[in-house]
Amino acid sequence: MEIRPRVTEAGPRDVALHAPFCDYVSHVFTRADFRRWTTWGEWNDDYRAFVVVEDGRVVANASVTRMRLLLEGREVSGFQLGAVGCLPSVRGRGLARTVMDAALAYCGDAPVLLFANPSVRAFYPRFGFRPRGQTLFAASHVAEPSGPAAPLLDVSLAEVRAGLARLADEGVPVTERFGARGHARIASWYAANGFSRPLRQLRDDAWVFAEVEGDTLYVDDLFAREPFDLRAELPRLIDRPIASIQFGFTPERWWPGAEPVGEEADADLFVRGAGWPEGADRFPVMART
């Protein structure tokens, strides 16, 4: 009889596993790191790692993030998987399947999503996942800088992260089509790794991850206590003239005239369960694990 390896569940208080987990991530996902994010204290009970440990090393993992999903205006409890895989030296032993089974057992019947790189497209349908397209949204808009520039916020500061968490928990979701609420700790992971665009403060209760590249303003995410006129505030977000805007989410609330301009190609979305919306949308890039 086959003996399956033991899977250990690691949370924020399992500090003896944090360093081995971080080592695993840096070996399997060479551009990703959890060390700074963990040092910041951002690992909370919403993030669980299901790991196989051998000789003190994490050799396989499937992480689960508890999510407050927005699906066509309904808030739904769900999960998102991330950092799924195993060390190259132990591949072929079925360890990735073992940790996936443990993670999905934890999720139960709740909806689950994950983003995967194209090299593992064939893996996730074995667990009941199906692929789902993601649409890019953009709008033509000519604007020039004016007024006081929106100041930069330093996400390495605990008080900034606390403010971001409050806005994420209590503010309006960036989209109700297919989005999330309360994902500040996912956004802070991007900042900790240097992957995020700058965080700018338009007002006390409206913070935006945004940056100009070429003549396009990229608005990746927006945390606000209540809706406001983004068009009127744009001149404070730009440092040179722009001709267009691209959004990291479905912008039906913030820019109703935005148009689909293609399909996202660098990350494949998979979903499991029922109740996912139909039609063109984009899950917020700063809410992806």
Side-chain angles (χ1 to χ4, degrees), residues 140-279:
S140 297
H141 182 73
V142 175
E144 296 187 358
S146 69
L152 294 173
L153 295 169
D154 185 352
V155 185
S156 71
L157 299 177
E159 59 267 29
V160 171
R161 297 196 302 277
L164 188 66
R166 284 192 296 272
L167 289 175
D169 289 341
E170 302 167 7
V172 294
V174 72
T175 173
E176 300 213 8
R177 282 269 305 131
F178 179 28
R181 188 194 298 275
H183 59 284
R185 285 183 170 83
I186 301 175
S188 71
W189 182 88
Y190 285 93
N193 279 269
F195 296 157
S196 70
R197 302 185 194 277
L199 178 60
R200 301 178 183 275
Q201 182 178 11
L202 283 173
R203 55 182 74 171
D204 287 345
D205 58 356
W207 299 1
V208 185
F209 285 96
E211 187 175 32
V212 177
E213 293 183 12
D215 64 354
T216 299
L217 173 65
Y218 290 84
V219 180
D220 283 347
D221 212 334
L222 195 157
F223 297 83
R225 197 166 296 279
E226 57 187 31
F228 63 91
D229 185 359
L230 178 59
R231 187 182 299 259
E233 300 282 2
L234 278 187
R236 299 183 55 220
L237 284 176
I238 59 179
D239 57 3
R240 55 186 180 272
I242 63 167
S244 64
I245 308 168
Q246 187 161 310
F247 299 91
F249 49 88
T250 314
E252 84 283 355
R253 165 170 279 152
W254 299 99
W255 209 279
E259 297 285 343
V261 293
E263 291 294 313
E264 195 170 344
D266 57 355
D268 289 358
L269 171 63
F270 289 84
V271 297
R272 184 175 188 258
W276 303 98
E278 300 293 334

Side-chain angles (χ1 to χ4, degrees), residues 12-269:
R13 286 168 289 281
D14 301 303
V15 294
L17 287 172
H18 288 182
F21 170 78
C22 290
D23 289 342
Y24 155 83
V25 171
S26 65
H27 281 94
V28 178
F29 308 94
T30 54
R31 294 184 63 244
D33 202 303
F34 274 77
R35 293 179 178 88
R36 193 179 191 204
W37 183 81
T38 300
T39 301
W40 283 356
E42 294 291 272
W43 188 336
N44 70 355
D45 282 326
D46 288 337
Y47 190 84
R48 319 296 295 185
F50 292 85
V51 299
V52 173
V53 180
E54 294 182 350
D55 298 324
R57 296 188 309 158
V58 170
V59 298
N61 175 77
S63 291
V64 174
T65 300
R66 186 179 299 275
M67 303 289 297
R68 296 166 63 189
L69 298 172
L70 274 297
L71 306 176
E72 296 286 20
R74 298 177 297 114
E75 184 170 320
V76 177
S77 294
F79 297 92
Q80 185 173 183
L81 302 190
V84 178
C86 60
L87 295 181
S89 59
V90 300
R91 287 175 184 161
R93 293 170 48 191
L95 296 184
R97 174 177 285 277
T98 297
V99 292
M100 277 289 292
D101 286 342
L104 291 174
Y106 177 83
C107 297
D109 295 329
V112 185
L113 70 142
L114 63 88
F115 285 85
N117 66 67
S119 67
V120 290
R121 285 174 177 158
F123 180 66
Y124 294 106
R126 304 173 193 173
F127 299 91
F129 286 90
R130 64 184 187 277
R132 192 179 189 283
Q134 288 288 271
T135 302
L136 300 174
F137 292 91
S140 297
H141 182 73
V142 175
E144 296 187 358
S146 69
L152 294 173
L153 295 169
D154 185 352
V155 185
S156 71
L157 299 177
E159 59 267 29
V160 171
R161 297 196 302 277
L164 188 66
R166 284 192 296 272
L167 289 175
D169 289 341
E170 302 167 7
V172 294
V174 72
T175 173
E176 300 213 8
R177 282 269 305 131
F178 179 28
R181 188 194 298 275
H183 59 284
R185 285 183 170 83
I186 301 175
S188 71
W189 182 88
Y190 285 93
N193 279 269
F195 296 157
S196 70
R197 302 185 194 277
L199 178 60
R200 301 178 183 275
Q201 182 178 11
L202 283 173
R203 55 182 74 171
D204 287 345
D205 58 356
W207 299 1
V208 185
F209 285 96
E211 187 175 32
V212 177
E213 293 183 12
D215 64 354
T216 299
L217 173 65
Y218 290 84
V219 180
D220 283 347
D221 212 334
L222 195 157
F223 297 83
R225 197 166 296 279
E226 57 187 31
F228 63 91
D229 185 359
L230 178 59
R231 187 182 299 259
E233 300 282 2
L234 278 187
R236 299 183 55 220
L237 284 176
I238 59 179
D239 57 3
R240 55 186 180 272
I242 63 167
S244 64
I245 308 168
Q246 187 161 310
F247 299 91
F249 49 88
T250 314
E252 84 283 355
R253 165 170 279 152
W254 299 99
W255 209 279
E259 297 285 343
V261 293
E263 291 294 313
E264 195 170 344
D266 57 355
D268 289 358
L269 171 63

